[in-house]
Every structure is written in C-alpha cells, then in structure tokens.
Amino acid sequence: MTTFDAIRVQFQEMFRRMFGGGKADVFLEEGADVLEAGIEVVARPPGKEQRTISLLSGGERTLTAVALLFAVFKAKPSPFTVLDEVDAALDEANVRRLVSLVREFTNVCQFVIITHAKAT
C-alpha cells in the first residue's frame, strides 16, 4: 500500500503536467486482497468531465497511460525500459511533451523507443 500510495500521488502530479491541468486518480478494487485487486483509473482532462480511462480518446488514453508509467518510475525507478509506438496516437504538441518527459528521466533510466515519429 505504501508503494501504491506513492504512485498515486506521483500520478496525480504527472497527469496535470502531461495535460496542462485536469485531475486524475487511481483506485484499488474494493473488498479484494490488495495484491490481487484490480486498479481503476479515472481522469478529467482540462475542460472535460471525469470519466474512466476507457471513455477517453486515443490520445487522452495514451497520455494518461504515460502519466501512470512515469509516476511508477518516479516512485520506483527502473534502470531500463522499452516504449513501443507509445506516441502513435499523439499529436505534435503531445509528442513534444512526451519527449520532454523522457529526456528528464534519462539520468535515471535508459530508454529503447520504437517509433515512426521523427520528433520522438
């Protein structure tokens, strides 16, 4: 639970950063064993209603997933990761946000990024 709580705090911060505002949160499935509980992700990009991740657009889902991934990295750094076409659903502005975030983490993590986007 300590790790989950740390990731939750980092996710809320990372989501706001990736979207330039808004709110997001992650919750464990109630009534289940903590180690086997499902995780629910809810998000409210700026100017939109709160909804589960399945109701977001492709780009919004990608940014939300990236925010969660990097929140995990902040809470529990990994020395190495592979990102495969993570930028496929993103427009130019969001690709720049992703690239900026990856650059920030290169001092603690090595990335292999598979992409077709020149900007990435």
Side-chain angles (χ1 to χ4, degrees):
M1 282 307 299
T2 303
T3 300
F4 180 80
D5 290 339
I7 291 169
R8 185 176 181 207
V9 168
Q10 293 297 331
F11 174 58
Q12 292 166 353
E13 176 186 318
M14 198 62 61
F15 182 89
R16 283 190 301 273
R17 181 170 172 198
M18 293 300 292
F19 280 88
K23 290 185 177 186
D25 211 341
V26 288
F27 301 98
L28 290 176
E29 178 184 7
E30 288 190 35
D33 177 13
V34 171
L35 297 176
E36 300 201 12
I39 297 174
E40 182 178 357
V41 178
V42 292
R44 187 179 60 78
K48 296 194 175 185
E49 295 178 11
Q50 182 169 314
R51 49 183 77 158
T52 61
I53 193 168
S54 63
L55 297 175
L56 298 174
S57 72
E60 290 169 336
R61 276 194 303 254
T62 299
L63 281 182
T64 303
V66 166
L68 183 57
L69 175 67
F70 282 90
V72 171
F73 283 171
K74 276 200 156 203
K76 292 285 187 180
S78 172
F80 181 79
T81 193
V82 177
L83 300 175
D84 185 8
E85 295 289 342
V86 71
D87 57 354
L90 300 178
D91 61 15
E92 285 290 320
N94 289 324
V95 167
R96 284 192 298 274
R97 285 182 179 157
L98 171 65
V99 170
S100 172
L101 193 59
V102 168
R103 280 193 179 126
E104 245 181 68
F105 278 81
T106 57
N107 62 344
V108 294
C109 181
Q110 293 183 23
F111 292 90
V112 173
I113 301 176
I114 301 161
T115 183
H116 288 93
K118 285 186 177 187
T120 306

